[in-house]
Amino acid sequence: MKKIISVLLAVLLLTSAFSLTAFADEAAQAFVISEDGNYTIDASFNTPVDIVGAKATVTLDNANIQADLQQFERSAIKVSGGADVTFVLEGFSTIAGSSNKTSCGIEVALDSKVSFEGEGTLNITGGKYGAAIGSYGTGINLPVEERVQVGEITINSGNINAYGGERGSGIGAGYHVSGNKITINDGTVRAYAGAMGAGIGCGYGTSGGAIGVAAVGDYTAGTIIINGGDIYAASSWTDFSDFSSFDAINANEVAGAWGVGIGGGYGASVDLIEINGGKVVAVSGASGAAIGTGRGTSKGNQYNIDTYRCNIKIGGDADVTAVTSDVTKDGDHLGGAAIGTGRGCHTGGTIEITDNAKVVAINAGNAPAIGSSKKNSPVDGAIPVAESIIIGDNVQLYAVSAADYAVDKDASTLSINDKYFGSSDRWFFGEDAVAISDIENVKVESTKGEMMYTAPAGSVSLWSRIVPQSDDGGETIKTSNLGIVTPLAMAVRFEDGGVYYSGDSLEVELDKDYHFQMCSVDWSTRSINEEKKIHKPYETFYPAETASQHVNHGIYSDDGLGLCGTVVYTVRVSSDATRMSFDEATKTFVLPLHDSVLRTDVNKCFMAYRFTFQSGDYNKQTGIDNVVYDTGIEHENTLEDFRYTKPLEFLSVNLPLGSTVTAKAYNNYEYFAQADVFVEIDAENPEECYTDYVWPY
């Protein structure tokens, strides 16, 4: 039987069929649900609700229960006495605890559990020291046997915006309270802590000032499992809008500088954070981790090494972004990792990133992106290190930090497959990773859509691009992005016919030889000072929709535009991250993986010829078939229509080595002589990329 609470309340007041039960706070009365069944709370109901011992389904249909607005000092909804409640979200509901009383939006006692489903939206706010969903808190540390505890919380669907009260979590535990178990299977969740708490996890634990009652590490966020959904969690309010640079991250003011996005708040540890799927974005201020734990303490007598723990597992197809800003009250509180532990902890915990997970970890402060903060160890002054870091073979990982390295290379156990990674003092890189100079356009999700992130200069990084195994189960095919640099008005033609210009790139297999030739472009197809010199036959070689991308370079094609050199070169990107060489005899470039850029703007590949006349330099006019011959006048549809010899005035032209060009001399644009010129390196100046050709006139 479905029960409409707003209707039932009116009936009860008239018939007294059921008595209303007052809370301990006699200033407010509450409607009590103690029987199993289905209930609906709609917009007309504005009384606190107690659900005691019932297995109930409660539909929140545009509900509006706000403690401050309706002048009651307690949690808006309280679930206790072994109750098992499913909240179904319909429409847009608003629930809030009392800002004057330790309370929650929805309070869940230790012996009870709640779950959420439906397609509606719930805006929910915690009261003083309380979580939005979870437990209220206490203003003082209590002995273990007297502490508040929280029940289990599960989110299966719906849109939930959870705002923690002062020092409480968005979803989980309040101030001076340990978490229990939070499971998110689907839905869209945005969870924000009160200052120094966790977006998802527990609130402010302790600073360690109450020794004998609670040391740093005694409180824990419990277990947090995320299997799916779109999850955004922060140590205080942020719009998750811009992670495109360190400055942008720090401009997103995160006041909860000592808290954590997902995990344990200030002074608290976390038993386990397990992310198996979904898209997860976690943000924290400096000193606390984005995923892991918040700030600890530098004082050993306030820290419990036996209870402090931080275990993080990211796997499946999870897509995770963890960002730690550099925003603090003052400069003394820097140092939280993006994934790992905050400042003042003896360990970075255990971190496993496996399966097909995609992880972006960005630290705008001075700690590693993944691992342990190195700031203020509470244990014998030793530099903190992670207990264990494991990164699987098929992980896509982007980690960048303003610190000395992006991944905690000093971890007690560091497992990164040798096929993919090596190490150095500044960064990790290997067969399938690149150094910071080559990292661009990393995709980062935010509530405002997909963003592109470019690591700032001076930071250090690890960027793994692991290609899945081939269909036949053979060896994993490893590739690299080969960048192309060419001199002005030149191109590179590979043996498969592909033509690439300066700034282009192509994907190549590691340790495989690729053959190419240097080409001069057709000058009549170049854009000079934004004056396009494009002829109608241009679209014969490139479709109209792609024509514009070739304009500034000019064009080479096998169909008659430009000049292809006769020398065949070879380029190979080596799986050896440090190897770089050029063999003159075989004309072979070997490039290291972390700097896979083919630079042909050297005299190994071209020569700039400057044509002058013996009698003076007043008439610098020359034509070279297919390259320089035209003034840029519009022509008809065939090559023959604009292949007439009317030269362009110029000082020099870049030409491929080993080629013989027919150079034609003009006097005031009147042809009078020509010569076959062999393009070669100047023997007297072998390091120069230019030479002079003088007409004997």
Side-chain angles (χ1 to χ4, degrees):
M1 177 177 67
K2 186 174 184 180
K3 304 172 184 177
I4 309 297
I5 290 180
S6 57
V7 175
L8 275 179
L9 181 58
V11 173
L12 290 172
L13 289 171
L14 291 172
T15 66
S16 297
F18 298 92
S19 62
L20 295 178
T21 302
F23 275 81
D25 180 0
E26 296 180 355
Q29 292 181 318
F31 181 75
V32 178
I33 297 173
S34 58
E35 296 181 1
D36 296 352
N38 300 326
Y39 301 81
T40 294
I41 300 176
D42 63 17
S44 64
F45 188 83
N46 58 7
T47 301
V49 176
D50 248 2
I51 306 174
V52 184
K55 184 176 178 60
T57 298
V58 178
T59 298
L60 301 177
D61 182 4
N62 294 291
N64 185 17
I65 307 176
Q66 300 184 60
D68 289 346
L69 183 65
Q70 290 142 7
Q71 297 184 335
F72 56 85
E73 294 187 349
R74 50 151 290 164
S75 298
I77 298 175
K78 182 177 180 180
V79 179
S80 62
D84 183 353
V85 181
T86 298
F87 290 99
V88 179
L89 307 182
E90 292 184 2
F92 190 98
S93 296
T94 301
I95 294 176
S98 169
S99 60
N100 299 315
K101 190 79 171 182
T102 54
S103 61
C104 304
I106 297 178
E107 180 184 327
V108 187
L110 174 64
D111 56 6
S112 301
K113 55 186 178 181
V114 298
S115 62
F116 295 84
E117 58 187 52
E119 301 302 321
T121 297
L122 172 61
N123 272 8
I124 185 164
T125 304
K128 183 178 180 181
Y129 296 160
I133 302 171
S135 76
Y136 64 93
T138 59
I140 60 172
N141 281 292
L142 295 171
V144 175
E145 64 275 10
E146 298 177 23
R147 290 178 189 169
V148 177
Q149 295 175 293
V150 62
E152 294 187 19
I153 302 167
T154 301
I155 299 173
N156 294 314
S157 61
N159 301 291
I160 298 176
N161 302 311
Y163 304 88
E166 180 184 352
R167 301 193 176 189
S169 66
I171 298 173
Y175 183 26
H176 292 325
V177 179
S178 285
N180 187 347
K181 184 178 181 181
I182 301 168
T183 304
I184 302 176
N185 295 314
D186 205 349
T188 299
V189 177
R190 293 177 175 85
Y192 310 89
M196 306 182 212
I200 299 173
C202 69
Y204 186 147
T206 180
S207 63
I211 301 304
V213 177
V216 169
D218 287 352
Y219 292 102
T220 174
T223 299
I224 302 166
I225 300 174
I226 299 175
N227 296 316
D230 292 337
I231 315 302
Y232 301 88
S235 58
S236 65
W237 191 89
T238 177
D239 62 1
F240 300 96
S241 63
D242 191 354
F243 307 140
S244 62
S245 69
F246 286 170
D247 288 342
I249 292 168
N250 293 331
N252 262 341
E253 183 76 22
V254 181
W258 299 341
V260 66
I262 299 174
Y266 179 15
S269 56
V270 60
D271 296 341
L272 175 65
I273 300 170
E274 185 175 302
I275 304 175
N276 302 308
K279 181 178 75 177
V280 178
V281 179
V283 180
S284 77
S287 213
I291 298 176
T293 63
R295 177 193 169 187
T297 178
S298 60
K299 299 178 181 180
N301 64 352
Q302 296 179 357
Y303 186 88
N304 192 336
I305 191 173
D306 296 324
T307 61
Y308 195 92
R309 53 210 175 272
C310 177
N311 300 300
I312 302 168
K313 295 182 178 180
I314 301 173
D317 294 316
D319 185 346
V320 175
T321 298
V323 179
T324 301
S325 82
D326 196 23
V327 177
T328 62
K329 295 179 180 179
D330 57 65
D332 187 40
H333 302 295
L334 309 180
I339 299 176
T341 57
R343 165 188 176 269
C345 304
H346 79 286
T347 176
T350 65
I351 302 168
E352 295 183 20
I353 304 174
T354 57
D355 301 330
N356 297 308
K358 175 185 176 183
V359 174
V360 175
I362 305 171
N363 192 320
N366 58 358
I370 298 175
S372 175
S373 169
K374 305 303 178 185
K375 292 292 181 179
N376 301 92
S377 172
V379 181
D380 300 327
I383 296 175
V385 298
E387 297 167 35
S388 173
I389 297 177
I390 297 172
I391 299 175
D393 294 353
N394 292 317
V395 167
Q396 294 186 59
L397 174 65
Y398 175 76
V400 60
S401 172
D404 290 337
Y405 36 79
V407 175
D408 189 353
K409 66 183 181 63
D410 299 319
S412 298
T413 300
L414 181 61
S415 176
I416 304 178
N417 195 304
D418 291 340
K419 290 191 302 181
Y420 302 119
F421 302 96
S423 66
S424 77
D425 290 339
R426 285 287 294 170
W427 51 63
F428 284 71
F429 59 84
E431 291 184 1
D432 222 346
V434 293
I436 190 65
S437 60
D438 296 323
I439 297 178
E440 292 181 348
N441 298 334
V442 176
K443 294 180 181 179
V444 175
E445 299 289 343
S446 77
T447 54
K448 295 188 177 180
E450 183 178 279
M451 303 188 65
M452 307 305 288
Y453 181 84
T454 301
S459 56
V460 293
S461 69
L462 163 64
W463 175 227
S464 162
R465 291 189 290 253
I466 308 301
V467 179
Q469 286 191 333
S470 58
D471 294 337
D472 61 5
E475 285 291 321
T476 299
I477 300 172
K478 298 179 290 294
T479 63
S480 177
N481 211 38
L482 177 64
I484 304 295
V485 176
T486 66
L488 181 67
M490 295 197 77
V492 172
R493 180 193 184 279
F494 281 86
E495 59 188 318
D496 63 359
V499 179
Y500 298 87
Y501 303 87
S502 198
D504 287 346
S505 63
L506 68 156
E507 189 175 57
V508 297
E509 294 181 31
L510 299 184
D511 300 314
K512 179 178 178 179
D513 288 346
Y514 291 84
H515 305 297
F516 67 92
Q517 296 158 279
M518 296 298 299
C519 303
S520 293
V521 304
D522 185 307
W523 277 42
S524 70
T525 62
R526 293 181 60 212
S527 173
I528 301 175
N529 296 326
E530 298 184 355
E531 177 188 351
K532 295 182 180 180
K533 297 189 173 185
I534 305 300
H535 301 283
K536 292 180 182 178
Y538 177 59
E539 294 184 7
T540 302
F541 311 108
Y542 292 96
E545 60 269 18
T546 63
S548 62
Q549 64 186 281
H550 302 283
V551 168
N552 291 322
H553 298 289
I555 304 166
Y556 169 83
S557 84
D558 292 337
D559 297 305
L561 296 180
L563 170 71
C564 185
T566 60
V567 178
V568 176
Y569 299 86
T570 300
V571 61
R572 180 189 321 127
V573 178
S574 173
S575 56
D576 183 340
T578 62
R579 187 179 179 190
M580 177 183 286
S581 64
F582 176 74
D583 183 74
E584 183 67 43
T586 62
K587 299 290 189 292
T588 299
F589 292 86
V590 177
L591 306 176
L593 180 64
H594 68 274
D595 190 19
S596 54
V597 179
L598 176 59
R599 296 177 172 88
T600 63
D601 55 342
V602 292
N603 67 338
K604 303 177 181 68
C605 298
F606 84 106
M607 185 59 62
Y609 270 72
R610 302 183 298 193
F611 291 89
T612 61
F613 293 86
Q614 192 175 59
S615 60
D617 61 1
Y618 57 88
N619 192 15
K620 298 166 183 168
Q621 297 167 335
T622 264
I624 298 174
D625 287 349
N626 295 355
V627 178
V628 179
Y629 47 81
D630 189 73
T631 57
I633 299 172
E634 185 70 27
H635 297 282
E636 299 300 326
N637 287 321
T638 63
L639 287 173
E640 289 74 16
D641 287 328
F642 68 95
R643 282 281 183 250
Y644 65 98
T645 53
K646 198 167 185 181
L648 183 73
E649 288 197 22
F650 67 102
L651 287 173
S652 64
V653 58
N654 295 332
L655 297 168
L657 294 177
S659 300
T660 299
V661 298
T662 300
K664 300 176 181 179
Y666 296 80
N667 187 1
N668 294 323
Y669 294 102
E670 293 294 329
Y671 166 80
F672 65 86
Q674 69 180 45
D676 290 334
V677 178
F678 181 69
V679 181
E680 59 184 339
I681 294 175
D682 185 347
E684 295 183 2
N685 301 286
E687 299 303 319
E688 300 291 347
C689 293
Y690 60 88
T691 190
D692 292 314
Y693 184 88
V694 181
W695 291 97
Y697 304 108

